[in-house]
PDB file of all heavy atoms in Angstrom:
ATOM      1  N   ALA A  93     121.356 112.487  67.514  1.00  0.00           N
ATOM      2  CA  ALA A  93     122.576 111.857  67.234  1.00  0.00           C
ATOM      3  C   ALA A  93     122.935 111.738  65.823  1.00  0.00           C
ATOM      4  O   ALA A  93     124.051 111.965  65.338  1.00  0.00           O
ATOM      5  CB  ALA A  93     122.630 110.434  67.714  1.00  0.00           C
ATOM      6  N   LEU A  94     122.026 111.333  64.926  1.00  0.00           N
ATOM      7  CA  LEU A  94     122.257 111.358  63.558  1.00  0.00           C
ATOM      8  C   LEU A  94     122.536 112.742  62.928  1.00  0.00           C
ATOM      9  O   LEU A  94     123.388 112.867  62.187  1.00  0.00           O
ATOM     10  CB  LEU A  94     121.052 110.724  62.851  1.00  0.00           C
ATOM     11  CG  LEU A  94     121.282 109.904  61.580  1.00  0.00           C
ATOM     12  CD1 LEU A  94     122.341 108.835  61.809  1.00  0.00           C
ATOM     13  CD2 LEU A  94     120.002 109.342  61.018  1.00  0.00           C
ATOM     14  N   THR A  95     121.895 113.787  63.417  1.00  0.00           N
ATOM     15  CA  THR A  95     122.249 115.049  62.881  1.00  0.00           C
ATOM     16  C   THR A  95     123.700 115.370  63.408  1.00  0.00           C
ATOM     17  O   THR A  95     124.442 115.995  62.551  1.00  0.00           O
ATOM     18  CB  THR A  95     121.231 116.120  63.514  1.00  0.00           C
ATOM     19  OG1 THR A  95     119.908 115.880  63.093  1.00  0.00           O
ATOM     20  CG2 THR A  95     121.622 117.544  63.239  1.00  0.00           C
ATOM     21  N   GLY A  96     124.065 115.039  64.521  1.00  0.00           N
ATOM     22  CA  GLY A  96     125.441 115.425  65.013  1.00  0.00           C
ATOM     23  C   GLY A  96     126.469 114.636  64.160  1.00  0.00           C
ATOM     24  O   GLY A  96     127.658 115.177  64.059  1.00  0.00           O
ATOM     25  N   LEU A  97     126.172 113.590  63.499  1.00  0.00           N
ATOM     26  CA  LEU A  97     126.990 112.834  62.701  1.00  0.00           C
ATOM     27  C   LEU A  97     126.969 113.216  61.293  1.00  0.00           C
ATOM     28  O   LEU A  97     127.690 112.791  60.384  1.00  0.00           O
ATOM     29  CB  LEU A  97     126.675 111.343  62.726  1.00  0.00           C
ATOM     30  CG  LEU A  97     126.967 110.618  64.099  1.00  0.00           C
ATOM     31  CD1 LEU A  97     126.354 109.262  64.093  1.00  0.00           C
ATOM     32  CD2 LEU A  97     128.374 110.585  64.377  1.00  0.00           C
ATOM     33  N   GLY A  98     126.054 114.307  60.981  1.00  0.00           N
ATOM     34  CA  GLY A  98     126.006 114.876  59.691  1.00  0.00           C
ATOM     35  C   GLY A  98     125.053 114.194  58.697  1.00  0.00           C
ATOM     36  O   GLY A  98     124.926 114.341  57.540  1.00  0.00           O
ATOM     37  N   PHE A  99     124.124 113.229  59.388  1.00  0.00           N
ATOM     38  CA  PHE A  99     123.187 112.561  58.565  1.00  0.00           C
ATOM     39  C   PHE A  99     121.739 112.645  59.073  1.00  0.00           C
ATOM     40  O   PHE A  99     120.835 111.824  58.864  1.00  0.00           O
ATOM     41  CB  PHE A  99     123.531 110.976  58.504  1.00  0.00           C
ATOM     42  CG  PHE A  99     124.779 110.741  57.857  1.00  0.00           C
ATOM     43  CD1 PHE A  99     125.961 110.487  58.607  1.00  0.00           C
ATOM     44  CD2 PHE A  99     124.901 110.690  56.531  1.00  0.00           C
ATOM     45  CE1 PHE A  99     127.186 110.271  57.998  1.00  0.00           C
ATOM     46  CE2 PHE A  99     126.109 110.447  55.857  1.00  0.00           C
ATOM     47  CZ  PHE A  99     127.212 110.237  56.640  1.00  0.00           C
ATOM     48  N   GLY A 100     121.465 113.772  59.606  1.00  0.00           N
ATOM     49  CA  GLY A 100     120.037 114.094  60.126  1.00  0.00           C
ATOM     50  C   GLY A 100     119.104 114.388  58.905  1.00  0.00           C
ATOM     51  O   GLY A 100     119.545 114.425  57.781  1.00  0.00           O
ATOM     52  N   TYR A 101     117.914 114.578  59.308  1.00  0.00           N
ATOM     53  CA  TYR A 101     116.856 114.891  58.281  1.00  0.00           C
ATOM     54  C   TYR A 101     117.232 115.934  57.256  1.00  0.00           C
ATOM     55  O   TYR A 101     117.043 115.690  56.040  1.00  0.00           O
ATOM     56  CB  TYR A 101     115.471 115.120  58.907  1.00  0.00           C
ATOM     57  CG  TYR A 101     114.368 115.373  57.993  1.00  0.00           C
ATOM     58  CD1 TYR A 101     113.776 114.281  57.411  1.00  0.00           C
ATOM     59  CD2 TYR A 101     113.862 116.610  57.719  1.00  0.00           C
ATOM     60  CE1 TYR A 101     112.743 114.392  56.541  1.00  0.00           C
ATOM     61  CE2 TYR A 101     112.900 116.787  56.744  1.00  0.00           C
ATOM     62  CZ  TYR A 101     112.378 115.675  56.327  1.00  0.00           C
ATOM     63  OH  TYR A 101     111.208 115.912  55.368  1.00  0.00           O
ATOM     64  N   PRO A 102     117.694 117.045  57.585  1.00  0.00           N
ATOM     65  CA  PRO A 102     117.966 118.086  56.762  1.00  0.00           C
ATOM     66  C   PRO A 102     118.935 117.649  55.592  1.00  0.00           C
ATOM     67  O   PRO A 102     118.898 118.056  54.511  1.00  0.00           O
ATOM     68  CB  PRO A 102     118.490 119.247  57.551  1.00  0.00           C
ATOM     69  CG  PRO A 102     117.963 119.084  58.830  1.00  0.00           C
ATOM     70  CD  PRO A 102     117.906 117.568  59.069  1.00  0.00           C
ATOM     71  N   ALA A 103     119.851 116.721  56.031  1.00  0.00           N
ATOM     72  CA  ALA A 103     120.918 116.366  55.131  1.00  0.00           C
ATOM     73  C   ALA A 103     120.543 115.081  54.238  1.00  0.00           C
ATOM     74  O   ALA A 103     121.053 115.003  53.077  1.00  0.00           O
ATOM     75  CB  ALA A 103     122.234 115.896  55.866  1.00  0.00           C
ATOM     76  N   VAL A 104     119.659 114.414  54.776  1.00  0.00           N
ATOM     77  CA  VAL A 104     119.200 113.189  54.019  1.00  0.00           C
ATOM     78  C   VAL A 104     117.980 113.161  53.306  1.00  0.00           C
ATOM     79  O   VAL A 104     117.732 112.368  52.324  1.00  0.00           O
ATOM     80  CB  VAL A 104     119.369 111.949  55.071  1.00  0.00           C
ATOM     81  CG1 VAL A 104     118.917 110.631  54.396  1.00  0.00           C
ATOM     82  CG2 VAL A 104     120.735 111.907  55.672  1.00  0.00           C
ATOM     83  N   HIS A 105     117.106 114.026  53.694  1.00  0.00           N
ATOM     84  CA  HIS A 105     115.635 113.911  53.145  1.00  0.00           C
ATOM     85  C   HIS A 105     115.466 114.003  51.667  1.00  0.00           C
ATOM     86  O   HIS A 105     114.537 113.430  51.112  1.00  0.00           O
ATOM     87  CB  HIS A 105     114.725 114.949  53.865  1.00  0.00           C
ATOM     88  CG  HIS A 105     114.819 116.291  53.247  1.00  0.00           C
ATOM     89  ND1 HIS A 105     115.829 117.191  53.611  1.00  0.00           N
ATOM     90  CD2 HIS A 105     113.960 116.823  52.366  1.00  0.00           C
ATOM     91  CE1 HIS A 105     115.586 118.273  53.036  1.00  0.00           C
ATOM     92  NE2 HIS A 105     114.435 118.174  52.277  1.00  0.00           N
TER      93      HIS A 105
END
Side-chain angles (χ1 to χ4, degrees):
L94 210 54
T95 296
L97 294 168
F99 295 101
Y101 181 76
V104 178
H105 81 279

